[in-house]
Amino acid sequence: MKYEVLWKELWLTLTKFMSLAICIPLIFVFVVRFFKSDFSLEVTFEHISILELPLFFGGFIGFSAAISFLIALYIRASAVRVEGGYLVGRNYWCFKRQIPVKHISQIYPFSNNGIEALVADGGVYGKVYISTHTKNLDKLLEQLKAEGANVDA
């Protein structure tokens, strides 16, 4: 059975994460500059007008949305399948891996720059990364346990 990634939800999550990661430090810089300039708006915003700020931040949010869209499409390709006693999916470098379900020793969480996943560790067979935005993730974990994976679902 194939378990698809809910890429649209992932896109929205990554857009929020990236937008906040870019905009909050910029706001902090503007606030610090405002205090260092003795509360002078002219000095604080000498390179950009206050009226241009919404466009400035809108551009960063648009950039975040575009990059997040590309990342979400890339992660969409990391859908996993369970067939014939094997878990078929992608490893960290997005290479296809096929792990015998009985050799999965543990499933543990993974998080990196807003990307959340579960890692199915198959020992010598490698690892498969399962996005937490996978449709029917509970059923997948139950199916792995039912087929003999040595994990707690």
Side-chain angles (χ1 to χ4, degrees), residues 51-104:
L51 298 175
E52 293 173 339
L53 277 179
L55 292 174
F56 184 69
F57 283 102
F60 282 121
I61 292 170
F63 172 77
S64 298
I67 297 299
S68 297
F69 181 73
L70 295 175
I71 293 170
L73 287 180
Y74 182 71
I75 291 177
R76 181 180 181 196
S78 66
V80 295
R81 292 189 321 269
V82 178
E83 57 186 22
Y86 287 91
L87 174 65
V88 181
R90 306 283 177 169
N91 68 1
Y92 182 82
W93 303 106
C94 215
F95 294 122
K96 195 174 228 177
R97 284 282 179 247
Q98 186 170 330
I99 299 174
V101 173
K102 294 183 190 250
H103 289 276
I104 296 175

Side-chain angles (χ1 to χ4, degrees), residues 129-150:
Y129 285 70
I130 305 166
S131 173
T132 56
H133 294 278
T134 300
K135 188 175 183 179
N136 299 324
L137 183 60
D138 325 352
K139 290 181 182 178
L140 170 62
L141 295 174
E142 288 174 12
Q143 183 178 1
L144 290 176
K145 186 169 178 105
E147 290 194 21
N150 199 10

